[in-house]
Amino acid sequence: MSQKMAEIVAVFATLIGIGATIFLPFVYQSRHLFRDSDIQVINLTGVNSAGTWTEEEVNGWNYWRRDFAAARPVLNVGRTARFRLKSADVIHTFYAPALGVGPVQVYPGHVVEFEVRPAQRGVFQYYCTTVCGMPHFGMRGEIVVQREGEAVTTGSLPTSGKYWLEPPPPANANLVERGQWLFHQKGCFTCHGPEGRGGVSNWNYVKGTVPALNALAERLMLFDREDVKVIVEQMESGKNLNSLVASPPVARFNVFLAQYRSVRDLIRKGSTPGKKDPHGPVPPLEMPTWDQRLSEVEIDAVIAYLLTLQP
Amino acid sequence: MSTRSRQASPEIVPGSHQIPDTLQTVDAKEWRLDLFRCAPPLKRIARLRWFQFAAVFPNLLIFLLFISAGIFGTPVGNRNIMIIFVWILWWFLLISAMVPFASRIWCAMCPFPFFGEWFQRRALVRVAAIDPKKEKKGGPGSVIGRNRYFGLNRRWPKALSNIWIQNFLFLALCTFSALFLTRPIVSVVVLSSIFLTATIFHLIYRQRAFCNYVCPVSGFLSLYSMASMLEVRSRDREVCDECKEKACLAGSERAWGCPWFMYPSKMERNNYCGLCMECVKACAHDNMTVNLRPFCSDTRLKGYDEAWKAFIMLSLATTYSIIYLGPWGFLKDWANIAESGKWGGFLAYTAVLWASALLLVPGIYYGAVWIGKRLAGDCEVSFKDAFLGLAYPLVPLGLLAWIAFSFPLMLVNGSYILMTLSDPFGWGWDLLGTSHIAWTPVVPHWTPYIQVLFLLVGLYYALTTGYAQARKLFGSEAAVKAFTPVAILLTACVSCFAWLYGG
């Protein structure tokens, strides 16, 4: 082959090769994904850094520099939908018990597929049930099942699971203020509700919803606001409450102390929620263990904050 | 056309001179095997005009695929082909196979200068040859030798005609290694920047100035290619001396003049030969060939820039071994600033890395050479010659230390290669049915023994070549005394590595 001919071939090969290398993966991907057009495909990616399951495209370019909106897939009654779950970072678990889905473990870089054919309309919650990092507690969302052509129900959940992580710890805060910040920053409110008001649904949990915490003072036998103030002051001063048994600062102090210890233990060790239907699915929300993530003082701060709340 | 200032001292290695037969044995260390005579098809391939294009083009496409995967693929490093193929497979092949056995063969297939060289030559395969006597002034482009080039074609500044820029760039790049080893997008930024810089430099400076003086990868390839078992050399210097055409240097209608600014017929070290085979094509006397030779055949460092490259490489191998293979998790946290956010730790890590690579290790070595020179007694050897001569053992030692470091990375992470081959973007493909295989480290219990074996091989070559250098510099009698402090230092270094790997 003459040099001129070889040159022409090389230039054409270069141009075609570059074009093919750039575009072929996307062509293959589109065929690979949508091989069955009758099936609705829902792509969900678990993003720990954003604390969401998102329908947005997550890739090397955008992962590190932006948030992702929580997915709110809309399915149709009687129509099959294929979920394609990916993780963009760590191990997540996708769980939508009311819809009979999961729990499905999703490893980083792997794609897990399953199909759902919803039989009834409604709004069904989904969760991540592996504690995948601090934004984990916001990794929830809703799947809406509607009849074809029906208007989509408006959602109420936050669009990103990590927004509460942003505020810095308050400077020169007292114990209660620090506890309030921790309750927020550690994501406790995502299950127990803002200001511990509770009400978050926990599928197949014996009590139906995650317990409210704004009546903790009463549960600890502190019916008077003054008593709460005295106890919080004792905690703030750094005294060990056990040492106050000889000279109790409030009435029924022994009962309070026993309850206080059990609350501390519950926070430290966590608990598994009891099932309403013993044969039904595991309730998705459980109290995690905090003993590695909160110090003794921080646990006291959270309790002090909860004691100041009122129903 | 100017040649490198370091180039061409008159010393001739006997084995590379006048080889009447395919294999000539001068002594145990100096044999050469002429591969073009052994396997003539190799010569035919090397002389093909499209040889280098055929080598570079697939790598260019692969490179573009990696860039695409880094941008559009999963951000999970171990499931993205960009991370696995570049930093695990390519690095392993480069340091463990290409450099020791095939010198700078990577430079012959590297995609970074593809577009730059294309713009510069306005040719991918053909040669733009001219006859200087008939050429009129004011024609398009610039005429260098018997070839025409486009772009500005400026000469590279003489003050920068060394590898110091490469030294600092490589060290700077390696400081952030934890970042681009885990984040595909950071690798994209790093590699694209090198690609773009290479293209721009080709438009401004002559030929392969970027590869010779700027490319951070080229720096260590140049150093460790000295140890390689492959070389491009002239068969007979007399033929070259009598040659009037000097086509290997000036180019001809058959080939481009050496893009690496070398005078191939006088070449006696591998350092700045990119194995492009233009000199093989150019030589009208069939006098250029590719030889197989003993390990560690080029034994002269010619400047402090090269010596410091050896110190930097050894320091990096040590630092990486401590951080990535050692049991100290907090050090990995310090290096991985993006994940840990510990700026204090990162600054401490950076300061220690730079200080040890540029000052501490060279300082200790300086002390050992100084003591050795004092022990050797009165001699006329300058300290610079002694220092550079006795710094050479760091070439085989450093190379084998890097192989020892890279080997377990391959054994441990090799299964990711199969996974990403089936699913290069982490999009859920299964092209070859291997995307769901389990992560399986290969013979992890043997790894420390393999590493120590490599280190011992490195120590053997370091000691033998170092002693040979000492004999050449100080004579047979004083050589042992002169080399002893350096030998102790090298042995201590290997012992530290062995302790680190073996526990």
Side-chain angles (χ1 to χ4, degrees), chain A residues 56 159 169 232 239 251 306:
Chain A
E56 293 179 64
T159 53
V232 168
K239 275 186 189 157
L306 295 175

Side-chain angles (χ1 to χ4, degrees), chain A residues 10 22 38 70 79 81 86 116 126-127 147 151 180 228 295 297:
Chain A
I22 291 171
D38 285 344
R79 188 180 170 202
K86 288 190 287 185
V116 177
Y126 65 81
Y127 312 81
R147 291 195 187 89
Q180 183 178 16
V228 170
S295 67
V297 176

Side-chain angles (χ1 to χ4, degrees), chain B residues 401-421:
Chain B
W402 271 99
I403 295 174
F405 166 74
S406 309
F407 215 77
L409 293 184
M410 184 66 179
L411 294 178
V412 170
N413 299 309
S415 46
Y416 288 125
I417 293 170
L418 296 175
M419 292 184 210
T420 48
L421 207 56

Side-chain angles (χ1 to χ4, degrees), chain B residues 71-306:
Chain B
I71 296 172
F72 302 110
T74 175
V76 181
N78 63 11
R79 296 292 299 189
N80 193 307
I81 197 166
M82 160 61 95
I83 297 292
I84 297 300
F85 270 62
V86 175
W87 303 124
I88 304 289
L89 182 63
W90 170 79
W91 176 259
F92 173 78
L93 290 177
L94 185 72
I95 206 77
S96 308
M98 288 191 224
V99 173
F101 299 109
S103 188
R104 302 186 62 161
I105 192 77
W106 171 251
C107 297
M109 58 176 87
C110 173
F112 290 155
F114 183 89
F115 287 109
E117 201 157 62
W118 189 7
F119 297 149
Q120 205 177 59
R121 295 175 173 178
R122 291 199 187 166
L124 289 171
V125 175
R126 68 186 175 86
V127 182
I130 53 104
D131 183 345
K133 289 173 188 168
K134 295 177 186 172
E135 180 70 11
K136 291 176 187 172
K137 282 186 179 176
S142 312
V143 174
I144 302 172
R146 294 187 200 93
N147 299 132
R148 187 190 300 284
Y149 296 89
F150 297 88
L152 298 179
N153 279 302
R154 291 198 179 148
R155 285 177 191 275
W156 183 255
K158 205 166 185 180
L160 299 176
S161 296
N162 49 54
I163 63 169
W164 281 115
I165 294 177
Q166 293 172 327
N167 287 350
F168 286 114
L169 277 180
F170 191 71
L171 193 53
L173 208 59
C174 289
T175 306
F176 296 95
S177 59
L179 214 63
F180 58 75
L181 286 176
T182 51
R183 297 188 177 192
I185 194 66
V186 181
S187 289
V188 168
V189 171
V190 169
L191 298 182
S192 303
S193 304
I194 298 176
F195 192 88
L196 196 66
T197 311
T199 307
I200 293 168
F201 270 68
H202 275 76
L203 294 176
I204 299 172
Y205 294 103
R206 287 184 177 190
Q207 294 166 300
R208 294 268 186 147
F210 172 82
C211 307
N212 242 345
Y213 305 115
V214 183
C215 176
V217 179
S218 173
F220 76 82
L221 291 180
S222 110
L223 181 79
Y224 289 147
S225 66
M226 297 175 79
S228 177
M229 294 184 70
L230 203 75
E231 65 179 16
V232 172
R233 295 288 188 274
S234 61
R235 286 196 179 106
D236 186 343
R237 287 275 176 100
E238 284 175 16
V239 174
C240 294
D241 292 343
E242 287 164 15
C243 174
K244 301 281 186 249
E245 195 186 9
K246 308 285 188 212
C248 59
L249 180 67
S252 70
E253 73 284 354
R254 295 180 300 277
W256 299 90
C258 178
W260 293 78
F261 313 124
M262 297 296 288
Y263 183 13
S265 67
K266 300 272 186 188
M267 198 158 63
E268 58 181 19
R269 303 195 309 160
N270 275 357
N271 298 51
Y272 306 101
C273 169
L275 293 179
C276 62
M277 300 292 156
E278 290 296 337
C279 56
V280 173
K281 294 179 190 67
C283 183
H285 310 287
D286 193 18
N287 197 38
M288 295 302 298
T289 189
V290 176
N291 291 325
L292 207 60
R293 64 180 196 176
F295 193 64
C296 290
S297 288
D298 301 339
T299 54
R300 288 185 59 196
L301 297 177
K302 290 195 175 177
Y304 285 120
D305 54 336
E306 293 177 359

Side-chain angles (χ1 to χ4, degrees), chain A residues 134 137 164-170 173-193 195-196 213 267 287 290 292-306 309:
Chain A
M134 276 319 298
F137 300 104
W164 72 81
L165 295 172
E166 305 298 342
N174 61 29
L175 192 68
V176 172
E177 287 165 343
R178 185 155 180 78
Q180 183 178 16
W181 178 77
L182 284 167
F183 186 79
H184 193 73
Q185 202 263 345
K186 299 293 177 188
C188 310
F189 79 99
T190 61
C191 293
H192 293 288
E195 294 169 350
L213 299 174
I267 295 174
M287 178 72 182
W290 288 96
Q292 300 296 320
R293 287 174 281 183
L294 287 177
S295 67
E296 296 292 308
V297 176
E298 286 176 326
I299 291 175
D300 267 353
V302 172
I303 294 175
Y305 164 64
L306 295 175
L309 297 177

